[in-house]
């Protein structure tokens, strides 16, 4: 056990975590050069394209130093705030964490938050300065920043370039010397933590586990603590990152387990594996259940696809327990699902996976948060769908979720950040200077954070600022619902809950957006935004005047046919609301701020 | 249905131009050589000679020499084709034989030559009588040249003439366009092809940022055109065709009323009704490929479920449409789905109740109307 090191990597998006992972795998010979494709750990298409990690993954590496063989278990963590839950899971299986900081950028808010989590969980944090090959890298400044902001000594932090491979050796040495080996009772009775479970169509449920005490081997019977069910091990092993079968896994090790479990609920994440007849051992602490924070309704463009959509969602949740959904019926959009997500990135990723992997055409409504409504009869109603808001007569007060937002930004952009947050109903709570970096704490409604906020923060700080937020609680607020009418028909699914002081501005914005997003039809299409019975904003999509019908020459109708087919295809991708055809992107963008 | 009763036209594609116009997306080629010219004419004759199945004992009720710029081909070579057709008794009595010109190439000698061979209708690519519009279109002729060629043509006996005019061109004003229409009306011409500039993919204009007139201006141009042309005795009978009632182009009308046509020459399109259905095909596009193998074509039978669209695309271009009785002559081709679609279009007010004819609104939104049948 003394030669095992379990560690994860904490890094901000784009700070080179995935590239560094690849270099470590390559250095330790986990894959042959032929098998190395860029950023192996990010295996989902979307992860690769967006350069982000969504799910936790693990790799076991062999490393030899001064004649000693070491087993390095490296657990990859997601780098985006939406997936912080996955981060804390990964960390709980480790004794240490590499804190990777871009030598040209410095510490970012999300890194900071994850780093605090790691320290809280008692992990040894090893700082690493990456991207030192860049001309603008300033490792000394970044070292100072790490010391100032996180409070750990970064003097000895290895300077590496994951891109060129410089410094990888010294990084591995530091890993072995600084991160403590796991503790546990090799010969005790079995106790293991389920870090993650996912569904594999061929194997059934595959779980990533960390053995705390004892060992587990192929053919052994074991019990899942929460369900009390016993299973027999079909296959265990480690990832290299390819699956490598093993006969057993022992205390301190991290690997995968297949035991003929058919449903992901049979191997819940955070649960404990015990000997099959062990009635006394207590479960490991496990993880806090994560609740979705952002909600949106999704509908298929073609109503015939509804069954296919339901099927796709049921398959998707097998690998993503943080996604929740329930059927919804909209007067205007038909049958769909109300879905709950960890955040807006999570929402986008799910949407993209549904469209790409399940070949669906979806429209989704504006993201919403969960509200608490105190009704006049004294009961409290929780709702996440604006169309469910009771009539104003029945409402005593509405409470909305408030978050604590920490924004890290270079000094130059403090003014822009404060203006933006204040405009989004933020209240400044604190401001701390770390050299050129400033940490600004705001209390803001979550609803302001989930729409456009990330993009706007990035654009007003030239991309330098980073954000981290956490929920504080629900606070009474002066909120109201605005409804949207297209061609005089209320489109229930587009309703939004907004702050009263913003309602007329938002109404104008929405009407203008829709006017631009809805293509001209053969008739005028009025767009109205209503507050109660009162129309507070109105625009019109002017009718098309005519089609341009080109000259047809030499009996060639093939070109014309192609054009007509293209128009027909385009129309198929639009949602019909009454007589009006509305394209997908109208639903995605109608609520965005124009600037 | 006796297939040999379906009217048949002949389209002859002569692909050469002096240069490629920036709005043109037709199959044209530049750099004509004398050898290619002779070889192409031989290939065309060979092609017709070997199209007996398609011709099916019929005579051509119209023949159209289009391009490209047919007038770049030597007159005696045109004569070779017509002589061949006559020798094989392939031309119907009173057949319309049209020939396309650019104003730049009109000369008395050339006209005398081809009219002598039997050409009885000329189609001149005037486009505009305004030099500004012509330069926006980057044409190689000017107003003066067009007027001169129309003067020369007016001296010919027994020849009908059509010209092309275009609207919606960059910088074109309503006044300038009205001027074009009035100039047209001053000549005693039988026909006008009037069309809006469309920017097609694969054209030079497509890659440029163009300032075309606003929708409102284009609409007022269309209103003006109707007024001026009607008062001079010209009436719209097809999307881009205007003439006195007795001067409609026979060749184009044959396309729209779902007649058959044999297309010869590079990239020419054919539509022939055979025992197994309607066969549409296209010849090899490159001049040399066609010369090498004039009979080779890419074609297919129109699938049953596409016939509806085929019919709508053609008949509905005709302003007066077609009577339901005449339409039903084609019912051996299509299924009940056609009449379901027709019902929808009628209910939407795009097609009239008792005739397969677009309503005013349906004609304005012809693409949407036709697409109901796809």
């Amino acid at each position: 056990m003394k030669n095992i090191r379990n560690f994860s990597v904490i890094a901000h998006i784009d700070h080179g975590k995935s590239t560094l992972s690849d270099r470590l795998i390559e250095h330790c010979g986990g894959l042959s050069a032929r098998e190395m494709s860029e950023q192996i750990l990010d295996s989902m298409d979307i992860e690769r394209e967006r350069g982000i990690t969504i799910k936790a993954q693990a790799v076991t590496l062999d490393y030899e130093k001064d004649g000693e063989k070491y087993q390095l278990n490296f657990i990859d963590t997601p780098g985006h705030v939406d997936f912080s839950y996955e981060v804390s899971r990964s960390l709980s299986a480790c004794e240490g964490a590499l804190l990777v900081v871009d030598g040209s950028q410095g510490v970012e808010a999300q890194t900071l938050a994850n780093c605090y989590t790691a320290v809280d969980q008692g992990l040894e944090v090893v700082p690493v300065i990456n991207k030192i090959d860049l001309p603008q890298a300033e490792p000394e400044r970044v070292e100072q920043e790490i010391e100032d902001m996180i409070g750990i000594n970064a003097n000895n932090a290895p300077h590496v370039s994951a891109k060129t491979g410089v410094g990888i050796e010294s990084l591995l040495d530091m890993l072995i010397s600084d991160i403590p080996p796991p503790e546990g009772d090799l010969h005790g009775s079995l106790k293991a933590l389920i870090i993650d479970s996912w569904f594999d169509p061929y194997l059934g449920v595959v779980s990533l586990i960390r053995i705390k005490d004892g060992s587990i081997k192929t053919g052994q019977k074991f019990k899942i603590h929460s369900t009390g069910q016993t299973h027999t091990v079909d296959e265990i092993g480690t990832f290299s990152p390819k699956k490598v079968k093993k006969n057993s896994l022992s205390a301190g090790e991290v690997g995968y387990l297949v035991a003929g479990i058919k449903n992901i609920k049979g191997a819940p994440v955070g649960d404990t594996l015990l000997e099959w007849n062990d009635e006394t051992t207590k479960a490991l602490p496990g993880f806090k259940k994560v609740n979705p924070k952002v909600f949106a309704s999704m509908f298929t463009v073609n109503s015939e696809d509804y069954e296919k959509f339901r099927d796709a969602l049921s398959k998707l949740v097998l690998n993503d327990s943080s996604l929740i959904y329930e059927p919804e019926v909209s007067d205007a959009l038909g049958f769909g699902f109300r879905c709950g997500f960890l955040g807006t990135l999570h929402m986008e990723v799910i949407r993209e996976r549904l469209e790409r992997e399940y070949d669906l055409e979806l429209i989704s409504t504006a993201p919403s948060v969960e509200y608490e409504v105190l009704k006049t009869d004294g009961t409290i109603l929780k709702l996440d769908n604006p169309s469910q808001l009771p009539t104003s007569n029945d409402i005593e007060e509405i409470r909305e979720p408030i978050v604590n937002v920490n924004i890290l930004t270079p000094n130059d952009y403090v003014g822009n950040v404060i203006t933006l947050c204040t405009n989004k109903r933020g209240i400044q709570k604190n401001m701390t200077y770390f050299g050129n970096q400033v940490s600004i704490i705001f209390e803001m409604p979550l609803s302001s954070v989930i729409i456009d906020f990330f993009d706007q923060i990035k654009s007003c700080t030239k991309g330098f600022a980073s954000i981290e937020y956490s929920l504080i609680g629900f606070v009474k607020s002066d909120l109201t619902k605005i409804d949207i009418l297209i061609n005089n028909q209320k489109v229930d699914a587009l309703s939004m809950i907004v702050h009263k002081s913003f309602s007329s501005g938002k109404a104008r914005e929405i009407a203008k957006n829709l006017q631009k997003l809805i293509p001209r039809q053969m008739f005028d299409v009025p767009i109205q935004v209503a507050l109660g019975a009162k129309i507070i904003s109105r625009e019109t999509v002017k009718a098309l005047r005519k089609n341009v019908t080109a000259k047809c020459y030499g009996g060639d109708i093939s070109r014309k046919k192609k054009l007509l087919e293209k128009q027909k295809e385009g129309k198929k991708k639009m949602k019909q609301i009454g007589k009006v055809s509305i394209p997908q992107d109208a639903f995605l963008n109608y609520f965005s701020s124009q600037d | 249905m006796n297939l040999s009763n379906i009217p048949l036209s002949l389209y002859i594609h002569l692909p050469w131009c002096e240069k490629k116009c920036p709005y043109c997306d037709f199959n044209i080629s530049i750099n004509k050589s004398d050898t290619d010219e002779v070889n192409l004419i031989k290939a065309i004759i060979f092609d017709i000679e070997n199209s007996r199945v398609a011709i099916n004992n019929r005579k051509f009720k119209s023949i159209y020499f289009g391009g490209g710029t047919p007038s770049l081909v030597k007159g005696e070579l045109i004569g070779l084709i017509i002589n061949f057709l006559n020798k094989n008794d392939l031309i119907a009595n009173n057949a319309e034989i049209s020939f396309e010109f650019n104003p730049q190439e009109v000369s008395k000698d050339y006209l005398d030559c081809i009219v002598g061979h039997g050409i009885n209708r000329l189609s001149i690519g005037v486009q505009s009588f305004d030099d500004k519009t012509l330069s926006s279109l980057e044409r190689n002729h000017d107003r003066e040249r067009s007027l001169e060629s129309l003067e020369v043509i007016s001296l010919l006996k027994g020849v009908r003439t059509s010209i092309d005019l275009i609207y919606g061109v960059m910088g074109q004003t309503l006044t300038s366009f009205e001027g074009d229409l009035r100039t047209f009306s001053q000549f005693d011409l039988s026909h006008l092809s009037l069309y809006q500039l469309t920017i097609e993919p694969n054209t030079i204009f497509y890659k440029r940022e163009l300032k075309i007139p606003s929708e409102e201006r284009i609409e007022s141009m269309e209103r003006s055109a109707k007024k001026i042309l009607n008062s001079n005795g010209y009436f719209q009978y097809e999307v881009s065709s205007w003439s006195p009632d007795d001067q409609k182009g026979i060749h184009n009308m044959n396309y729209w009323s779902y007649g058959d046509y044999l297309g010869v020459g590079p990239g020419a399109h054919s539509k022939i009704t055979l025992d197994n259905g309607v066969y549409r095909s296209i010849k090899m596009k490159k001049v040399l490929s066609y010369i090498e193998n004039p009979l080779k074509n890419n074609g297919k039978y129109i699938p049953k479920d596409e016939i509806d669209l085929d019919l709508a695309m053609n008949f509905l271009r005709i302003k007066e449409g077609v009577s339901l009785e005449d339409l039903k002559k084609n019912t051996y081709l299509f299924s009940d789905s056609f009449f379901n679609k027709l019902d929808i279009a009628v209910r939407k007010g795009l097609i009239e109740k008792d005739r397969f004819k677009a309503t005013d609104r349906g004609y304005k939104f012809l693409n949407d109307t036709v697409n109901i049948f796809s």
Side-chain angles (χ1 to χ4, degrees), chain A residues 291-304:
Chain A
N291 292 317
K293 288 199 206 114
V294 173
F295 302 83
S297 304
M298 295 208 265
F299 301 87
T300 53
V301 171
N302 301 309
S303 42
E304 311 93 77

Side-chain angles (χ1 to χ4, degrees), chain A residues 297 299 328-336 387 490-494 577:
Chain A
S297 304
F299 301 87
E328 180 185 357
V329 185
S330 152
D331 292 340
L333 300 176
F335 291 98
S387 64
K490 185 169 131 186
V491 185
D492 48 0
L494 298 188
I577 296 186

Side-chain angles (χ1 to χ4, degrees), chain A residues 184-232:
Chain A
D185 182 357
L186 255 181
H187 306 289
S189 87
L190 170 68
K191 203 173 180 184
L193 175 73
I194 303 180
I195 306 164
D196 200 0
S197 287
W198 60 92
F199 189 82
D200 181 297
Y202 301 105
L203 300 172
V205 175
V206 180
S207 297
L208 182 66
I209 56 171
R210 157 76 196 265
I211 316 289
K212 294 285 187 183
D213 293 320
S215 64
I216 188 165
K217 52 182 181 294
T218 316
Q220 181 177 337
K221 261 168 77 172
F222 67 93
K223 182 167 78 176
I224 304 245
H225 181 268
S226 72
T227 65
Q229 297 279 328
T230 57
H231 302 276
T232 306

